[in-house]
Amino acid sequence: MPLEKVGFEDSLKRLVVPELCVGCGSCVAFCPMKCLEYSDGLPRLVGRCTECGICFQVCPSCGPPQEEIERLIFGRERRTEEEFGVYRRVVVAQTTDRRIREVCQDGGLVTSLLTFALEEGLIEGAIVSCVSEEKPLKPVPKLATTVEEIIECAGTRYVYSPNPLAFREALARRVRSLAFVGTPCQIRALRRMEIIPLKRYASALKLLIGLFCSESFTYEGFVVDGIKRKLGVDPKDVKKVNIKGKVLVTTVEGEVEALPIEDAKKYSWNCGRCGDFSAELADISAGGVGLQGWTLTVIRTERGETLLKRAEEKGLIRVRPVEEEPKAYRILVNLSRRKRRRLLRRR
Ligand SMILES: Cc1cc2nc3c(=O)[nH]c(=O)nc-3n(C[C@H](O)[C@H](O)[C@H](O)COP(=O)(O)OP(=O)(O)OC[C@H]3O[C@@H](n4cnc5c(N)ncnc54)[C@H](O)[C@@H]3O)c2cc1C
């Protein structure tokens, strides 16, 4: 794909100023001049920009259209009836590993696939999101290179985590094969990076796992105002946060406090222009809608299919057809439709 020559100052005017920037950190991660830094959820220019155009080209908030990326990744565009993007198969999956079951968000599919890929030597590391040591519930991008580290990072933080930033560390540590876990906007940025292609990163990227995402939240809003002030729960006493119709906060003591979803929506990250609920460009997409203890799993590519089958054959996960969970499937279709329509209305 020919690179449009755009300097960062111009990107700022075209993306950050009109609030199109989602703060994913991809421009910072992939800037070859290392002239960008990430602070307060936004990229900042801190060095000399050579106007190479890469920051603009990897940005998930600008062209090319989704259909063009689909053709390059899947060899075809999404059919109209494929409401949640191009896919091969939809299943529900669950880990058989007790350590993962104790800490995962839904069925532990994501963490199981990562640990399996690492143990089988398919990857040397996984870019995921861990929790800040200083601020409980604050997510921080992380390059995990051991099974223990991957398991420590299981579970969902609903605050936005700019996972692409960890690519810099992966490059510095010469990690040659990587899996990436992230939100739909981040998966889109990485597909754009692959298409350019930025070879040193693209050749290392072996697997893209996308998380379903209605929206993400700010730390000050969701955690400080919502959980701490409104619910009166100290973030360091929180064992798990889950969103199932409302925000359910489980404490280490086992108590469950609920925050209405309408209250949480006030803390929204800059997600209003995203029309992708199910991470439509990932190899495998994962969510928990309509299920308890299982991950709703959309397999989109051959490499995603191969990995899932191998993990199932090894007995690391159990898999059932989605036909056994029609309600979960219906919610996936409805939420995908709703998010796509929201984007079309904003255009
Ligand atoms: C911001 C956000 C919003 C979501 N919204 C929905 C939704 O509306 N509906 C739905 O069905 N599912 C949603 N999910 C996905 C869901 O919460 C689970 O992540 C998914 O079902 C996989 O479950 P699991 O047990 O297989 O994952 P696990 O095995 O628990 O692994 C989860 C992985 O996600 C990574 N992670 C955690 N927090 C973040 C973060 N903030 N950003 C990037 N990576 C992270 C972890 O490091 C880990 O690798 C959302 C996830 C996020 C991060």
Side-chain angles (χ1 to χ4, degrees):
M1 184 190 287
L3 269 180
E4 190 183 350
K5 295 280 173 197
V6 181
F8 183 71
E9 296 289 4
D10 204 19
S11 290
L12 270 185
K13 280 190 219 121
R14 286 160 75 170
L15 298 165
V16 178
V17 176
E19 295 184 351
L20 291 176
C21 174
V22 291
C24 71
S26 302
C27 54
V28 178
F30 300 127
C31 171
M33 299 304 292
K34 300 198 173 20
C35 68
L36 302 179
E37 259 180 29
Y38 189 88
S39 70
D40 294 333
L42 288 175
R44 317 244 173 231
L45 186 63
V46 291
R48 195 175 69 83
C49 171
T50 57
E51 302 195 353
C52 69
I54 286 174
C55 56
F56 195 69
Q57 220 64 31
V58 297
C59 175
S61 299
C62 49
Q66 183 92 346
E67 301 77 43
E68 200 175 318
I69 308 181
E70 283 168 356
R71 277 198 301 277
L72 290 161
I73 304 297
F74 305 114
R76 67 172 176 89
E77 287 175 25
R78 172 181 80 89
R79 298 187 195 99
T80 320
E81 68 275 15
E82 288 175 319
E83 304 254 18
F84 47 87
V86 176
Y87 70 96
R88 299 160 77 99
R89 205 155 62 98
V90 186
V91 297
V92 297
Q94 185 181 60
T95 186
T96 57
D97 185 326
R98 196 178 307 150
R99 288 171 308 167
I100 296 176
R101 203 175 315 141
E102 275 166 18
V103 288
C104 69
Q105 190 68 13
D106 290 306
L109 182 268
V110 174
T111 301
S112 295
L113 289 182
L114 297 178
T115 55
F116 175 70
L118 191 77
E119 283 176 330
E120 291 289 299
L122 304 172
I123 56 168
E124 290 176 354
I127 292 181
V128 290
S129 171
C130 68
V131 182
S132 152
E133 279 173 17
E134 296 87 48
K135 288 190 174 179
L137 297 184
K138 185 170 171 73
V140 183
K142 163 102 179 168
L143 170 68
T145 54
T146 64
V147 165
E148 290 68 31
E149 283 180 340
I150 290 172
I151 295 178
E152 263 171 38
C153 297
T156 299
R157 270 64 63 189
Y158 289 95
V159 168
Y160 196 81
S161 176
N163 287 2
L165 289 175
F167 268 93
R168 274 192 174 178
E169 187 187 345
L171 190 71
R173 287 172 60 184
R174 297 178 192 278
V175 177
R176 285 162 305 177
S177 48
L178 273 172
F180 178 88
V181 178
T183 50
C185 51
Q186 297 170 5
I187 299 295
R188 182 174 157 81
L190 296 199
R191 287 303 193 192
R192 297 194 52 151
M193 177 278 285
E194 282 184 320
I195 287 168
I196 289 175
L198 291 184
K199 284 205 181 105
R200 68 218 292 223
Y201 299 102
S203 62
L205 198 51
K206 304 297 177 199
L207 181 73
L208 278 167
I209 301 184
L211 305 173
F212 293 3
C213 185
S214 298
E215 62 191 322
S216 189
F217 303 107
T218 64
Y219 179 80
E220 289 305 317
F222 190 71
V223 177
V224 179
D225 196 54
I227 296 178
K228 195 169 177 191
R229 193 184 67 81
K230 284 209 173 110
L231 293 182
V233 177
D234 192 322
K236 70 175 174 0
D237 296 334
V238 173
K239 185 167 180 224
K240 183 169 184 169
V241 180
N242 209 343
I243 302 185
K244 300 275 178 195
K246 42 191 149 177
V247 181
L248 300 169
V249 179
T250 308
T251 66
V252 282
E253 314 266 76
E255 279 163 27
V256 181
E257 302 286 343
L259 188 71
I261 194 73
E262 295 70 35
D263 286 12
K265 281 185 187 298
K266 284 185 279 185
Y267 311 132
S268 183
W269 188 256
N270 189 15
C271 301
R273 288 183 182 80
C274 175
D276 182 353
F277 171 71
S278 68
E280 294 180 11
L281 298 172
D283 291 304
I284 291 183
S285 306
V289 282
L291 299 169
Q292 291 292 342
W294 290 80
T295 307
L296 183 54
T297 310
V298 183
I299 307 155
R300 304 185 187 276
T301 62
E302 193 179 345
R303 65 184 184 182
E305 178 82 84
T306 308
L307 182 70
L308 189 119
K309 271 193 189 142
R310 285 182 61 182
E312 188 185 6
E313 278 160 18
K314 276 256 172 161
L316 274 167
I317 51 169
R318 44 179 92 89
V319 175
R320 294 191 288 122
V322 76
E323 287 71 21
E324 292 179 12
E325 297 287 353
K327 182 175 158 219
Y329 186 84
R330 253 193 336 270
I331 301 176
L332 165 61
V333 170
N334 287 341
L335 290 179
S336 304
R337 199 181 285 160
R338 196 185 300 170
K339 209 166 168 191
R340 197 184 297 279
R341 282 197 189 139
R342 185 179 73 178
L343 174 69
L344 293 175
R345 274 202 302 275
R346 276 188 161 249
R347 275 187 180 154

